[in-house]
Amino acid sequence: MQWQGIKIPVVALALVIALAAFFGSHWLYKSLSFEEPLKKELDANKLVTGYTIEDSGAGQYQVSVAMKKTGNLMLAYRQIDDAVKEVMGGKQYRIKLADQRDEQLTEQYYQGHFAVYEALVRGNFREMAGELSKLAERAGVESKVYVDENNIYWQMSHGQHYLYEVIPRPLSGAGPGNAGSGGR
């Protein structure tokens, strides 16, 4: 079959081969450049129980991480963030933590998140920590809050259930979680 001297099956076959080569090389590049090294880093972390790496579009990746219960969310998150940042280089990413929250922990989060966001605006982190402690004590929930230059880390536990929230702090110049890291 020809159309004005052009063999249509040959053109179609060439197009299919070109597309396969393009998508195959793109997959190979992603796999070798950061996905496999990132998987090795996350597999080596004893607190990580599972993870997924997704291209969320616009050049940003979402790394969803399921973690075991930890005594210090800030240190655990920083380990994960440092490993991801090292492998990803300049690529934009967001870390989302999976936890094992129950209804009571979720309710405490909704009651306390007002104090967290007020602290982001006013800078009253000690008041925030005190308010969250009072809420947790009244509910019979264990609560810990950590603050660093990039995030507020709030962890709560109730029996076998636990809730992890990492709230980015907007900073001048760097933005929340610089290099696209941070988030829940």
Side-chain angles (χ1 to χ4, degrees):
M1 176 188 244
Q2 289 189 1
W3 178 67
Q4 295 184 355
I6 300 173
K7 295 182 180 180
I8 294 174
V10 172
V11 171
L13 181 62
L15 181 64
V16 168
I17 290 172
L19 285 174
F22 173 74
F23 287 119
S25 64
H26 179 69
W27 174 84
L28 190 61
Y29 166 75
K30 277 180 42 179
S31 180
L32 295 177
S33 69
F34 70 89
E35 283 187 4
E36 287 304 316
L38 183 55
K39 288 177 182 179
K40 286 180 184 174
E41 287 287 334
L42 293 173
D43 285 339
N45 189 317
K46 294 183 186 321
L47 288 174
V48 174
T49 60
Y51 55 85
T52 60
I53 305 163
E54 300 172 17
D55 186 348
S56 57
Q60 184 176 33
Y61 294 88
Q62 179 169 302
V63 182
S64 300
V65 179
M67 291 175 43
K68 293 179 185 176
K69 202 171 184 179
T70 181
N72 188 324
L73 177 60
M74 182 176 72
L75 293 178
Y77 183 86
R78 281 180 163 178
Q79 283 180 343
I80 293 168
D81 186 44
D82 289 346
V84 172
K85 189 180 297 178
E86 183 179 321
V87 171
M88 297 293 279
K91 291 180 181 61
Q92 295 288 314
Y93 65 92
R94 179 172 178 254
I95 297 173
K96 182 178 179 186
L97 296 179
D99 53 28
Q100 294 185 9
R101 57 184 74 189
D102 63 4
E103 192 173 309
Q104 185 171 5
L105 292 175
T106 302
E107 179 62 30
Q108 291 308 304
Y109 171 73
Y110 287 127
Q111 287 184 22
H113 82 282
F114 296 109
V116 173
Y117 286 96
E118 177 184 14
L120 285 172
V121 173
R122 295 181 54 203
N124 58 344
F125 297 110
R126 287 192 293 184
E127 286 179 37
M128 171 199 64
E131 179 67 25
L132 296 179
S133 263
K134 285 182 208 172
L135 281 170
E137 191 175 309
R138 282 189 293 234
V141 170
E142 182 184 338
S143 175
K144 294 180 184 178
V145 178
Y146 304 94
V147 178
D148 69 11
E149 62 278 359
N150 295 320
N151 301 302
I152 297 173
Y153 307 85
W154 185 13
Q155 68 184 85
M156 292 186 282
S157 64
H158 174 248
Q160 296 299 320
H161 299 279
Y162 53 95
L163 178 144
Y164 295 151
E165 286 292 331
V166 179
I167 301 101
R169 290 181 58 192
L171 299 174
S172 61
N178 54 24
S181 66
R184 298 174 290 150

